[in-house]
Amino acid sequence: MSHSSSLHHFLRHVSIPPDPHFLPTAFKSCPTLPLARALHAAAEVTGLVRDPFVASSLLHAYLRLGTTVDARAVFDGMPRPQRTVVGWSALVAAHAARGDAGGAWRLLEEMRRDGGVEPNVITWNGLVSGLNRSGRARDAVVALARMHGEGLLRPDATSVSCALSAVGDVGLVSVGEQLHGYAVKAGCRVDACVVTALIGMYGKCGRAAEIVQVFDESSHVDVASCNALIAGLSRNTQVSEALRLFREFVGRGLELNVVSWTSIVACCVQNGKDLEAVELFREMQAQGIEPNSVTIPCVLPAFANVSALTHGRSAHSFALRKGFLHDVYVSSALVDMYAKCGRVKDARTIFDAMPSRNVVSWNAMIGGYAMHGEAVNAVRLFHSMLVCKQKPDMVTFTCVLAACTQAGLTEEGHHYFKEMHNEYGVSPRMEHYACMVTLLGRAGKLDEAYDLISDMPFEPDGCIWGSLLGSCRVYGNVDLAEVAAEKLFRLEPENAGNYVLLSNIYASKKMWDGVNRVREMMKDVGLKKEKGCSWIDIKNKVHMLLAGDDSHPMMTAIIEKLKQLNIQMRKLGFVPSTDFVLHDVEEQEKDDILAVHSEKLAVALGLISTSPGTTLRVIKNLRICGDCHEAMKFISSFEGREISVRDTNRFHHFRDGKCSCGDYW
DNA sequence: AGTAATTTAC
């Protein structure tokens, strides 16, 4: 017999204390549904349920515990005069909050028709707010329109702010503007919540100018509106403006709270300023503001991006201490952080311990395996996901296909590509096609890859053609390479890599006129090349190294170490690959030590700053080149070090002169 | 009567 029914049994036969306040107090604080039902049974047996206070507190307890059915039964059991607008409003709000728009509307009709009770502002606001909170944004807007349209009640500041929030979520900026106008006319434009909601709405609708305008026109500055301003600017890529204003708020001595700090950290992370985010997170704590369960998933991607495993670990132990690991956001972000910091096993430990998982959690773990080339584990976990009745989404398939691509599982990849649409109704998007093109290209099936591109239901982007061009380089297919390159030169004329690739293909076939033609084209267009940049976490500090930049304080020692490494590598038979020198248009002077790629600088720094045998973890903003890849294999062997390099594509674990990618990436 | 605005992971 279960605990709850024995409790039920117990309470049926035990007298309730004679104190008339006992039951209402008990219902108010009642933590579980079984207990509420047991107390309810006792109230029925004793007849106390006829007391209006008892019935009403029971009604609210049931609604708070999420059962509208039990609540409705209690309400229907109440004598008609007791079924007031308060009870009706609570029922309407509860249905709305559960996303049951139809049920909420029916109740509204019923209270008028059968109950003879007219809804008031609170009833309507409960309806609008509940629909908004349950994600029924359009229904919330409809509710507000009906409230206004009936002409019996005027929407107040609460109605307007709820509706604005809903409008922002669905991007109905014209409705938002109408609400803005109404707020001015109705005199609630100055209400603090309305100000914040207006800023939020304009922020979500991409109206950066209006955000600032609403803020500037508001005479009263409170923390919530400042936070909304920061978040709005961040959403609209105005990072530096957000940072400037944040500093100004700090300077003005405004009482910024955890939400303010979380917002600015999130702003930096979402706009690629990871090191700034890490610094602000530190500063926040120095100011005595303790991170909450939202701050942690906001800052973790920054740690993951710069491979700050030490910071990630302390965030983990903090989350553990605070009991945040039950939060699916926190744990999913930890899974991702550990995977990106090279610790798939730790990621899996977190994943396995999660009390509940959603599609994002599964994707993070599957993606983690994919990143590490562990295709078998990725596919296995995908099947567990299906067994657990978790519906896969488009990200899931991106991860599964990427895993197949990394490991060269051509058949399996094909299978999942077909299955995603046929079995799971997920239409393939650009990234899925990109995986398939890479998968086919890697297997040498260049014509099949080209046919797939030709059959795509939308215009292929640069990644698709770039992938095909890369495979053409590997298999020496000049004809297809020319087709791909032509598309690429139109799609991304400033991308130097494409010219270099095509030129290399010509060179490998000794087609010198082709080489010259490409070289002429490169002169004509202004080329852009993303600066190579690597990060390495040494003794709890993240170091950033840029190719061709000697500003690191240890640069002299780094260069010395690199020279040493070069001598040793050549002794062991390492030949610098001229192929990959051509990859790099900036690298004109081969002997210039500063032209070394950033990952080599990072590894050299790691070697001289850590004790022998320590694993080095480097991450890089571009894909690792073949020359560096070869060099890493040599270094791992004669330095006796494990080196892991995470590039934009995947992890490379170098150990004993071998790489986990099996030299295909 | 007790309804409202700001921050979150793949």
Side-chain angles (χ1 to χ4, degrees), chain A residues 364-561:
Chain A
M365 196 60 239
I366 296 173
Y369 282 132
M371 215 184 286
H372 288 269
E374 297 187 28
V376 174
N377 280 330
V379 168
R380 203 178 279 158
L381 198 64
F382 173 65
H383 286 112
S384 313
M385 172 179 185
L386 300 177
V387 170
C388 293
K389 301 265 180 272
Q390 174 63 62
K391 246 182 79 141
D393 68 359
M394 55 183 199
V395 180
T396 316
F397 285 103
T398 309
C399 297
V400 171
L401 291 177
C404 294
T405 302
Q406 304 284 8
L409 302 176
T410 316
E411 288 307 309
E412 288 85 341
H414 241 308
H415 167 73
Y416 293 119
F417 185 69
K418 268 185 261 162
E419 206 182 51
M420 62 183 281
H421 185 251
N422 298 342
E423 296 288 323
Y424 301 100
V426 181
S427 309
R429 310 225 317 194
M430 199 68 86
E431 55 270 33
H432 304 110
Y433 279 100
C435 284
M436 288 311 290
V437 170
T438 310
L439 189 74
L440 293 166
R442 176 178 175 156
K445 301 179 173 181
L446 298 185
D447 290 324
E448 265 185 63
Y450 181 73
D451 290 343
L452 182 71
I453 297 174
S454 312
D455 289 343
M456 278 174 62
F458 42 84
E459 268 313 297
D461 70 354
C463 292
I464 304 268
W465 292 114
S467 167
L468 185 66
L469 185 62
S471 302
C472 290
R473 163 78 186 83
V474 175
Y475 289 98
N477 188 328
V478 178
D479 292 342
L480 265 184
E482 285 174 338
V483 176
E486 196 194 317
K487 303 277 187 189
L488 281 166
F489 295 158
R490 208 169 303 153
L491 284 167
E492 36 190 54
E494 294 184 331
N495 184 340
N498 298 328
Y499 299 92
V500 176
L501 257 177
L502 183 62
S503 155
N504 278 349
I505 296 171
Y506 282 136
S508 70
K509 296 270 171 184
K510 309 213 183 318
M511 297 165 72
W512 305 118
D513 53 330
V515 173
N516 289 332
R517 217 169 42 241
V518 177
R519 231 168 241 171
E520 286 307 309
M521 290 175 78
M522 289 171 82
K523 274 183 203 155
D524 293 344
V525 286
L527 292 188
K528 264 193 204 148
K529 201 168 169 298
E530 209 184 328
K531 268 257 181 269
C533 182
S534 291
W535 293 266
I536 184 166
D537 182 14
I538 297 169
K539 292 170 194 154
N540 207 4
K541 187 175 181 337
V542 177
H543 297 255
M544 184 169 87
L545 294 125
L546 284 160
D549 173 59
D550 61 355
S551 62
H552 194 278
M554 301 270 287
M555 199 41 96
T556 325
I558 292 174
I559 289 171
E560 197 44 51
K561 183 68 187 173

Side-chain angles (χ1 to χ4, degrees), chain A residues 26-312:
Chain A
F27 284 134
K28 217 170 222 169
S29 57
C30 177
T32 65
L33 191 53
L35 183 60
R37 288 197 172 127
L39 290 168
H40 182 189
E44 292 282 0
V45 170
T46 53
L48 283 169
V49 76
R50 282 188 295 275
D51 180 281
F53 289 104
V54 171
S56 139
S57 55
L58 175 57
L59 170 75
H60 286 96
Y62 274 144
L63 290 177
R64 182 168 47 81
L65 296 166
T67 164
T68 45
V69 177
D70 294 59
R72 186 62 210 257
V74 172
F75 191 67
D76 288 343
M78 289 158 71
R80 198 179 159 89
Q82 272 178 44
R83 281 182 271 153
T84 60
V85 66
V86 180
W88 283 108
S89 301
L91 283 167
V92 168
H95 278 85
R98 298 177 61 171
D100 180 6
W105 282 117
R106 277 194 299 276
L107 273 166
L108 203 78
E109 285 310 307
E110 199 185 333
M111 72 185 276
R112 274 180 168 150
R113 202 184 52 234
D114 304 333
V117 177
E118 193 54 34
N120 64 16
V121 177
I122 295 196
T123 320
W124 282 100
N125 287 355
L127 178 63
V128 179
S129 130
L131 291 171
N132 173 43
R133 267 182 301 154
S134 60
R136 309 295 301 249
R138 281 171 193 279
D139 289 316
V141 175
V142 170
L144 183 106
R146 282 265 275 278
M147 175 186 187
H148 185 53
E150 284 186 356
L152 298 173
L153 295 164
R154 287 175 63 76
D156 65 1
T158 304
S159 344
V160 172
S161 42
C162 287
L164 279 170
S165 159
V167 157
D169 288 340
V170 285
L172 287 169
V173 70
S174 60
V175 180
E177 283 166 338
Q178 281 177 290
L179 285 167
H180 188 169
Y182 173 83
V184 173
K185 261 192 295 178
C188 60
R189 157 70 181 78
V190 292
D191 179 275
C193 287
V194 172
V195 171
T196 306
L198 276 170
I199 295 171
M201 182 274 296
Y202 282 124
K204 285 175 188 160
C205 294
R207 299 290 190 87
E210 280 84 351
I211 302 173
V212 180
Q213 199 184 341
V214 170
F215 184 82
D216 287 345
E217 285 171 0
S218 307
S219 48
H220 187 74
V221 177
D222 79 333
V223 194
S225 58
C226 294
N227 296 347
L229 179 68
I230 301 288
L233 291 170
S234 167
R235 258 196 199 97
N236 294 284
T237 67
Q238 312 237 4
V239 211
S240 42
E241 187 60 3
L243 276 164
R244 191 185 67 76
L245 283 165
F246 183 81
R247 290 291 172 207
E248 196 183 305
F249 295 151
V250 173
R252 267 201 263 162
L254 216 82
E255 288 278 330
L256 296 179
N257 58 18
V258 62
V259 178
S260 326
W261 285 92
T262 303
S263 302
I264 197 69
V265 167
C267 170
C268 290
V269 174
Q270 285 152 6
N271 292 282
K273 295 191 172 295
D274 297 307
L275 287 176
E276 287 86 339
V278 174
E279 173 54 24
L280 280 161
F281 181 68
R282 194 199 58 75
E283 208 178 313
M284 153 183 192
Q285 285 159 295
Q287 298 284 318
I289 308 281
E290 190 177 63
N292 64 15
S293 62
V294 178
T295 320
I296 300 302
C298 282
V299 74
L300 280 173
F303 298 155
N305 289 341
V306 298
S307 205
L309 180 60
T310 342
H311 290 278

